[in-house]
Every structure is written in structure tokens, then in C-alpha cells.
Amino acid sequence: MKHNSFQKTIFAITSIMLLSCNSDNDFERIQSGPFTLISHSLEGITVNEFVIKGDMIFAATSDGIYSRKINSTDVRFTSIGLKGKNIQDIHAFTVAELLASSVNFGEEKPETKIYKTTNEGKKWEEYETDFGGAEDSWEGLGDFESVPSQPHHLYATGSQVVAKSIDKGKTWEPIWGDWGMIGSPATMKIKVNPLIPTEIWGGGQGGIENGFLFKTKETEQLDYWDNLVPNPTVVKEIVFDRQSPQSIYVGWEGELSKSMDNGNTWTTLIDRHEEAHFFFGIGISPNNPNLVFAGKWIKGGQSQPLEIFYSMDKGETWDSHSFQHISEGGIWDLKVVKQGNKDRIFLGLDKGGITEITFKQ
């Protein structure tokens, strides 16, 4: 009896040791071309958006909010609350004070809420706001965007509306579109041009799967496009070349496009309409402004290997590399962080969790 008890104890200790070694920090790195896969965690969840604030990276996911310190030796993302909720986006006033938009799609209409924490996620409370206008509004908040030099001000999107708040998201006023307009809920994207901070770009999809892109200056619409790419389509990402505010990359359903003259003319960089590739992820290297990364997701819900595109000439030509063993590799967000001469690329995946890869030039 004592002998059996001793064996069971040894077996238990050994099992714990093996499990503790099987962590993200012991991930076996995999190289593919110039890329090295550093970590892969939180498999099974969908990452809707990454947000970087200071030395922290936050992930808005289908299972709440996760975070980690970017430069920590511990590569694991840990939950900081709202487990079980589909978090569309996060706004970080500071690393402690956060807003989170929750959109849970039901059979009749989405359940939409905004949550707030002031203590790094230790406690979250539902944040009562007038986003959406009417009390019974189902306007899902899809995307937060900061207002340059105004820490208490925010932009946010609904179905076909851009609204502005000047009191940390408590009250909202539409500046483009209006509440209750027909469109796909929580799909609009907006970005403020970092070198022309009065210029706001946005896009999404109308009620008949018609993709649109616009440029506005607060309430003054400057441009509107609804025929740049074949429908059905939707805008999934907008990224600016920080060296040239005239150069804009736009990720659509079906293609990646670019304008070098502030929207006067457009070029298709990657055409994948037949394959129904959605370009959610676009990132420019902080080390090399000519180096652009792009990530895709294939429509239809099927498994797909992780594949990342890159261009060394601002999108003129492209190459790609894949990690075939990651079967849920559809990319829903992509952020690039500088570390020495390496680019660290965080990839948020559809049902595949989070991967980090590096690119060495």
C-alpha cells in the first residue's frame, strides 16, 4: 500500500512538472523564410482587435479581454476580465482605465454594451452612455479611435455612423451618418490620419453588402467612394504611411488597395476576389517604411493555414510565407512593434488565438 501511494505521488509530481514545462514560454520556435514563429497561445478564441498602450498590448476577443507586457519574458496573454463576452474593441485612456465594447450576436438583434474599468481590469462595470441614441437602440459600437491631442475625446462607429464624445465616452454626437441606419452591425472601421489629424477616414458595408469608403473633416464630408472594388465587399482596415500622409492602404473583402495621392487615384495591390480573401491586417515596419505586412482571412469558416504577405517596396511586389501546422490561421488583426532591427508582429486569429512572429531583414 505504501509502495503504491509513493508511486502515485511521484506520478503526480512528474505530471505537474511536465505540464508546467508545456507552456508558451517553452514554445519551439519555427522558421519560415524571413519569419520566425515565437509563440502561439489562446487557441480556440477569436481576436477582434489589438490595442497597444505604453508597454501593454490588449486583445479584444470572443472570450473577453487579455493582455501582456510587450517586452516581458513571459509571452503569455492573461485574462483581465469580461470572460465569455465578445469584445469588439477597446480604448485605453491609460493602462488602468479602459473602455470595452461588447457585441454579442443573438437570433433577433445584437446585445450591445459598453464596459469600463479604472483599475487594470480587476473590476468592470457596465458604462451607461447614450451611444446609439434611443434607449432600445441595437447600434453596436464596432471601432474606437482616439482624437489627437484630446485625451478625453473619442470617435466610435456604429452600423453606418461615426460619433464623437468629448467626455470619455459618456455622451455621443453623430458627425457622419446617423443612428439607426441600415448596415452590417459593428463592422465599420475608422482611422485618423496621423499627419493630418483633422482628417478622418472610414469605411464599412451597407445593407446590401455594398462596400464604401469615405474621408471627412468632422461633419464636412470630403470624399465618398462606393465603387472602388467589386461588390459584395466591406472595408476591414485602413492604414497610413507615416512618412507620407497622402499614402493610404485599405484592406477590403477581396483585395488590398492603395492610394498615393490622398484618394484621387487607387491601385489594387493584391486581388483575391475569386478566393474571397478578406484583408483585415495591414502593418508597416517601424524599421523600414518600405516594408509592408498584410494578413488575410478566407470567407466561409473553413480551416486555413496561417499565411502572411510582405512587400519590400511599399506594395509594388509581394511574397508570402505560411505556417501550415496552424490550421486556424485566418488573420483578423495585425500589429507591428519594433525591437532592435527586428519587427515583432502580433497576429490575432479567427478561432486560432494569438501568434507572435518576427521578421529579420
Side-chain angles (χ1 to χ4, degrees):
M1 294 290 290
K2 290 183 179 180
H3 181 69
N4 289 339
S5 176
F6 178 77
Q7 284 183 323
K8 289 178 181 179
T9 301
I10 293 296
F11 177 78
I13 294 172
T14 304
S15 299
I16 292 170
M17 291 175 64
L18 287 172
L19 286 171
S20 65
C21 291
N22 188 24
S23 69
D24 292 325
N25 288 329
D26 299 304
F27 187 86
E28 185 175 346
R29 299 186 177 196
I30 301 170
Q31 188 167 358
S32 179
F35 295 97
T36 301
L37 183 66
I38 300 298
S39 65
H40 183 199
S41 59
L42 301 182
E43 295 179 56
I45 70 165
T46 294
V47 178
N48 295 311
E49 195 81 28
F50 283 125
V51 174
I52 295 174
K53 185 70 174 180
D55 66 343
M56 297 295 296
I57 181 167
F58 300 94
T61 83
S62 59
D63 187 33
I65 299 176
Y66 292 80
S67 72
R68 61 160 287 197
K69 288 188 175 181
I70 293 175
N71 294 317
S72 172
T73 56
D74 187 349
V75 302
R76 292 170 295 184
F77 280 78
T78 58
S79 172
I80 60 166
L82 302 180
K83 292 277 290 180
K85 299 186 182 299
N86 182 56
I87 306 301
Q88 285 293 126
D89 198 12
I90 307 163
H91 177 73
F93 295 105
T94 66
V95 295
E97 186 179 3
L98 309 171
L99 290 185
S101 168
S102 171
V103 182
N104 290 300
F105 296 96
E107 294 182 2
E108 296 182 1
K109 66 178 185 179
E111 180 191 49
T112 61
K113 292 183 179 180
I114 300 175
Y115 294 90
K116 183 175 183 178
T117 181
T118 57
N119 54 12
E120 301 179 328
K122 295 179 179 67
K123 181 181 180 182
W124 291 88
E125 294 181 347
E126 188 174 341
Y127 193 41
E128 296 295 336
T129 81
D130 64 356
F131 188 88
E135 290 184 5
D136 60 348
S137 170
W138 57 271
E139 196 84 58
L141 196 161
D143 196 18
F144 287 112
E145 179 74 356
S146 300
V147 179
S149 304
Q150 298 288 343
H152 292 179
H153 294 197
L154 281 176
Y155 298 117
T157 66
S159 295
Q160 286 205 57
V161 62
V162 177
K164 184 177 182 179
S165 172
I166 61 174
D167 54 7
K168 288 191 170 184
K170 188 68 176 176
T171 60
W172 297 87
E173 186 70 27
I175 63 169
W176 183 93
D178 206 350
W179 307 122
M181 296 178 68
I182 297 174
S184 298
T187 60
M188 274 190 65
K189 291 290 183 182
I190 54 168
K191 286 292 173 65
V192 174
N193 190 325
L195 298 184
I196 311 177
T198 58
E199 195 176 271
I200 306 164
W201 287 69
Q205 185 180 72
I208 54 173
E209 296 189 326
N210 52 309
F212 62 87
L213 179 71
F214 64 87
K215 177 173 59 173
T216 188
K217 184 178 180 181
E218 289 286 334
T219 57
E220 177 190 359
Q221 181 170 286
L222 304 176
D223 278 303
Y224 182 88
W225 302 268
D226 60 2
N227 59 357
L228 285 178
V229 305
N231 287 313
T233 190
V234 59
V235 170
K236 282 300 180 185
E237 184 61 283
I238 303 168
V239 169
F240 295 91
D241 183 338
R242 286 187 170 272
Q243 286 195 328
S244 170
Q246 305 292 311
S247 294
I248 304 103
Y249 297 85
V250 180
W252 303 77
E253 173 187 353
E255 72 175 65
L256 176 64
S257 60
K258 180 183 180 181
S259 174
M260 297 178 65
D261 52 15
N262 212 37
N264 291 322
T265 59
W266 293 87
T267 301
T268 297
L269 303 181
I270 303 176
D271 185 340
R272 290 292 189 276
H273 286 281
E274 288 190 9
E275 298 88 347
H277 291 181
F278 286 61
F279 288 91
F280 281 75
I282 309 169
I284 301 174
S285 165
N287 285 296
N288 178 0
N290 295 318
L291 174 57
V292 184
F293 303 102
K296 75 173 194 310
W297 170 77
I298 301 174
K299 186 177 183 178
Q302 72 268 38
S303 295
Q304 54 202 278
L306 174 61
E307 181 181 17
I308 185 165
F309 296 84
Y310 71 100
S311 169
M312 302 294 294
D313 50 19
K314 295 196 173 187
E316 292 293 323
T317 59
W318 293 85
D319 201 349
S320 69
H321 283 276
S322 62
F323 296 89
Q324 294 289 328
H325 71 287
I326 297 181
S327 60
E328 300 291 350
I331 296 172
W332 276 29
D333 197 16
L334 181 159
K335 290 290 187 291
V336 188
V337 177
K338 178 178 179 180
Q339 185 177 41
N341 66 340
K342 291 183 180 180
D343 290 309
R344 297 174 64 190
I345 307 159
F346 291 92
L347 302 174
L349 308 180
D350 176 26
K351 298 184 291 293
I354 299 171
T355 64
E356 181 188 346
I357 61 179
T358 60
F359 182 95
K360 186 174 183 180
Q361 300 184 49

